[in-house]
Each structure stands twice: as C-alpha cells, then as structure tokens.
C-alpha cells in the first residue's frame, strides 16, 4: 500500500492531466514514487490513464467525500456521530465488527472497499467516486433477539433520506433492498453482536450505487441502477442526510420496535399484493402473493399451503410480473 495513492487521487479527482513531474514536486518525492502510487491505485480497481508527455488522468472527474460536508448535512444530530473516513478497507462492516470497543454511532465510510460483502454471501461491487459504502455501529439495550425488524427499519430511513433529497420514487424490496424502477439502487447488510438477551450492537452496512460505469452496472447479478441516472446528489450530502434519518429511525426503533414503522414500510413496499417467487435456503422454490409484513418484520405470503411467514435470513425473493 502506498500512503501517497489517495493524496494523488485527490489531485487527479478534477479529471485533468497532471504530469508526473508536477506531482513529484508537489509531494516532494521522485517520479518513480508517483508511478508506484498510481500502480497501487490500479490494484484497487481505479483506472488511471498514463500518457507520455502529458502525465496522469482519471477517465472522468470524480467527487470524493468531504468530512465537513457530511457533518454539515447531518445537522443538529452531528454530535451523536463519530465519523471515520478510510481511504481503503476490505469491508467497512468487517472493519467495524472487529473494533470491539467502538463507540455507539461510529460511522466508517470508505473511499474504496476491496472486499465488499452483500447479503447471502455475495460480493458488493463498488468503485472509487462511483459508490457510497459505509457502516454504522448502533448499540441497543435490548438483546439481539429483539432486533428482527431492524433491517426493515433501516430501509425506511434510506427512503426518508432519498425523499428529503427529492427522490420520491424509491421503493423497498423485502427485507431491505432499495429499488428505483424495479432496479437496485442500494443494499443493506446488518451484522449483529452481543447476547440474545442484551445488550447488543448492530453493524449496519449500506452500499449505494452512485455513478457506476455501464459495464459495471451490467455486471451486477440483478438489475441495478445508480443515483446519477435519477438525480445529481453530492455524496457527502447524501451520507449526512442518510445518517440524520438513520439516527431518527433507530431511536424510534429502540423505543417502539418495528411496529411503529410498519405502516410506513408498507407504503414503500414494491411487492405488496404482488406475485413473488422465493428460493429458500433448503432449496425449496415457493410461489405466492405477498400480504405485507408482520410486526416483527416477517414477510407474509399467501401460498398454496395458506398464509406463510418467512424470516429474512437467506431467502432470495423475485417478482413474478
Ligand atoms: C446487499 O444488498 O446484498 C447488501 C449490500 C451491503 C453493502 C454494504 S457496502 C458497506 C458495507 N460493507 C460491506 O462489506 N457491505 C456493506
């Protein structure tokens, strides 16, 4: 790893050419050191054009996170959070799960995630300047057993944040994918710590597609969309607004559980009263009509066997229309 890689990328973020010589002078190192740092960026999946006589350039200008802008966008609740911006990390979720004594409301956001994790053991694809990847640690007095509706509650916070930024057509796919036009815009991965009886903690990981190249979007194993296609929103502002709404929703969840958010969740539900097909962890393939969610976030589906209850875990759900 080169400690110069991200300072150089901050310079290249403007999308213009910067000569190796100018960069070497600016950082008081040799041109070979600059070259090594750029090579390291390439191992992180960052494409850097290198043109003899002109220097280095990113394919296009990118916007990097600005911590002060994030804090400003959180507003009054900014004092609740401890915000940590990492240049590169394998997974913000894994990182926070390993910080055993991390303070309540620690948020870790990464410019680059090299081994992002999705639900059901999948990989979460992201790119520098083209994705928002962060995790929030939230501590609860109650035990992990009482957190069953948490992932749905987090979905409500994401939709509220998007609505406050002018995106009014986002929906939720149970348990918590954020969809626009039936395509995935954001995903949530929650990992729990602590006892079933309490106290407990949740690492709430959120990944947003912001501005992914077409070929990357198409390589995702389900229809996906990015935020730029819908609305131009600065990623620091997006993160701040998301944290603000997460603070509100998590406080409400802690006080009243998912029941207080259930009706709102149902308003955003993409598959309410729609036919779906579910692949269960034991290999069964069940079809039915979605009939809402229970007070604890369990999905209710009318199947050939009657009204059945499904808990999030490893289920894969697809619409049939
Ligand atoms: C999914 O829909 O499959 C969940 C995706 C969650 C991705 C985020 S990105 C930040 C955090 N760190 C991870 O490794 N995963 C989550």
């Amino acid at each position: 790893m080169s400690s110069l890689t991200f300072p150089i990328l901050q310079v290249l973020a403007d999308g213009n050419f910067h000569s190796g010589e100018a960069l070497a002078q600016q950082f008081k190192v040799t041109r070979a050191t600059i070259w090594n740092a750029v090579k390291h960026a390439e191992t992180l999946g960052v494409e850097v054009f290198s043109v003899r006589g002109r220097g280095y350039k990113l394919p296009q200008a990118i916007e990097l996170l600005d911590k002060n802008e994030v804090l400003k966008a959180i507003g009054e609740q900014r004092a609740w959070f401890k915000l940590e911006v990492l240049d590169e990390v394998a997974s913000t979720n894994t990182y926070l799960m390993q910080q055993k004594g991390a303070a309540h409301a620690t948020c870790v956001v990464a410019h680059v995630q090299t081994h992002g994790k999705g639900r059901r053991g999948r990989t979460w694809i992201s790119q520098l300047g083209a994705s928002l990847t962060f995790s929030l640690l939230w501590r609860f007095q109650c035990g992990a057993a009482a957190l069953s509706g948490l992932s749905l509650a987090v979905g409500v916070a994401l939709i509220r944040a998007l609505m406050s930024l002018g995106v009014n057509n986002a929906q939720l796919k149970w348990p918590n994918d954020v969809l626009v036009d039936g395509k995935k815009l954001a995903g949530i991965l929650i990992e729990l710590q602590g006892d079933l009886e309490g106290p407990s903690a949740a690492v709430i990981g959120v990944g947003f597609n912001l501005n992914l190249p077409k070929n990357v979007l198409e390589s995702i194993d389900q229809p996906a969309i990015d935020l730029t296609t819908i609305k131009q929103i600065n990623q620091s502002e997006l993160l701040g607004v998301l944290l603000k709404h997460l603070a509100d929703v998590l406080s409400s969840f802690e006080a009243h559980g998912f029941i207080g958010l259930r009706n709102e969740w149902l308003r955003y539900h993409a598959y309410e009263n729609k036919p779906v097909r579910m692949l269960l962890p034991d290999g069964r393939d069940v079809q039915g009509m979605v009939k809402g969610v229970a007070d604890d976030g369990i999905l209710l589906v009318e199947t050939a066997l009657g009204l059945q209850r499904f808990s999030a875990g490893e289920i894969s759900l697809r619409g049939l229309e």
Side-chain angles (χ1 to χ4, degrees), residues 174 269-280 284-292 299-310 315-321:
W174 182 88
H269 188 191
Y271 290 104
E272 191 62 18
N273 285 315
K274 299 232 167 91
V276 292
R277 175 177 172 201
M278 283 171 299
L279 299 178
L280 307 189
R284 271 184 304 145
D285 183 336
V286 179
Q287 294 192 11
M289 194 70 96
V290 177
K291 294 289 166 198
L299 183 73
L300 304 173
V301 183
E302 189 73 53
T303 72
L305 301 174
L307 192 66
Q308 286 193 281
R309 295 161 54 85
F310 296 93
I315 294 178
S316 161
L317 181 143
R318 291 276 180 272
L320 274 177
E321 281 180 339

Side-chain angles (χ1 to χ4, degrees), residues 53-108:
R54 298 199 69 185
Y56 302 106
K57 179 191 180 310
L58 295 181
Q60 73 236 342
I62 56 166
E63 179 198 278
L64 295 173
L65 269 165
D66 178 329
K67 192 169 173 175
N68 289 327
E69 290 294 315
V70 178
L71 293 172
K72 206 164 91 190
I74 298 174
E76 279 171 13
Q77 286 130 308
R78 79 179 64 112
W80 292 23
F81 293 93
K82 181 171 167 275
L83 181 61
E84 208 178 316
V85 182
L86 301 179
D87 286 335
E88 62 172 284
V89 71
S91 149
T92 54
N93 260 41
T94 306
Y95 175 88
L96 254 184
M97 287 294 282
Q98 286 165 351
Q99 313 287 302
K100 290 292 175 225
H104 173 68
T106 298
C107 171
V108 175

Side-chain angles (χ1 to χ4, degrees), residues 219-296:
S219 71
I220 296 175
D221 55 5
Q222 57 186 298
I225 192 166
D226 58 11
L227 195 56
T228 313
T229 316
I230 306 157
K231 193 157 195 245
Q232 289 296 334
I233 297 171
N234 170 284
Q235 66 161 311
S236 304
E237 185 186 7
L238 173 64
L239 176 57
V241 172
L242 284 165
L243 290 175
K244 174 192 149 19
H245 285 284
L246 279 163
D248 289 347
V249 162
L250 292 169
S251 306
S252 152
F253 180 86
E254 186 151 34
H256 314 291
F258 175 65
I259 192 166
L261 298 158
R262 182 176 163 271
N263 284 342
E264 185 176 353
W265 192 93
L266 287 172
R267 284 208 301 279
Y268 309 143
H269 188 191
Y271 290 104
E272 191 62 18
N273 285 315
K274 299 232 167 91
V276 292
R277 175 177 172 201
M278 283 171 299
L279 299 178
L280 307 189
D282 60 9
R284 271 184 304 145
D285 183 336
V286 179
Q287 294 192 11
M289 194 70 96
V290 177
K291 294 289 166 198
V293 288
D295 290 347
D296 52 3

Side-chain angles (χ1 to χ4, degrees), residues 34-201:
I34 298 291
W35 188 82
N36 280 329
V38 168
K39 286 287 135 206
H40 178 66
E42 288 171 355
T43 66
L44 299 175
V46 182
E47 194 182 1
V48 185
F49 296 146
S50 161
V51 178
R52 193 181 286 273
R54 298 199 69 185
Y56 302 106
K57 179 191 180 310
L58 295 181
Q60 73 236 342
I62 56 166
E63 179 198 278
L64 295 173
L65 269 165
D66 178 329
K67 192 169 173 175
N68 289 327
E69 290 294 315
V70 178
L71 293 172
K72 206 164 91 190
I74 298 174
E76 279 171 13
Q77 286 130 308
R78 79 179 64 112
W80 292 23
F81 293 93
K82 181 171 167 275
L83 181 61
E84 208 178 316
V85 182
L86 301 179
D87 286 335
E88 62 172 284
V89 71
S91 149
T92 54
N93 260 41
T94 306
Y95 175 88
L96 254 184
M97 287 294 282
Q98 286 165 351
Q99 313 287 302
K100 290 292 175 225
H104 173 68
T106 298
C107 171
V108 175
V109 56
H111 284 131
V112 172
Q113 228 184 201
T114 52
H115 294 83
K117 300 184 292 187
R119 283 185 61 238
R120 305 173 49 245
R122 292 194 294 201
T123 301
W124 183 256
I125 295 176
S126 59
Q127 274 196 3
L128 176 77
S131 311
L132 173 64
T133 52
F134 71 94
S135 301
L136 174 65
L137 177 89
W138 206 263
R139 297 194 177 278
F140 294 92
Q141 285 309 315
C142 64
L147 299 180
S148 66
L150 177 64
S151 72
L152 283 79
V154 171
V156 168
L158 268 52
I159 299 283
R160 283 189 193 174
L162 285 166
M163 289 201 301
S164 81
L165 291 164
V167 177
N168 295 313
N169 56 345
Q171 290 186 300
L172 291 169
K173 178 181 142 187
W174 182 88
N176 54 16
D177 286 353
V178 177
L179 308 181
V180 168
D181 291 340
K183 298 177 198 153
K184 186 152 165 177
L185 173 67
I188 299 163
L189 175 70
I190 297 186
E191 296 181 77
L192 299 179
Q193 295 175 340
D195 296 332
L196 283 178
E197 290 84 37
S200 58

Side-chain angles (χ1 to χ4, degrees), residues 19-33:
S19 74
E21 201 174 330
L23 290 168
Q25 266 179 19
Q26 181 173 347
F27 292 106
K28 299 187 175 55
V29 294
T30 62
R31 280 162 58 184
T33 306

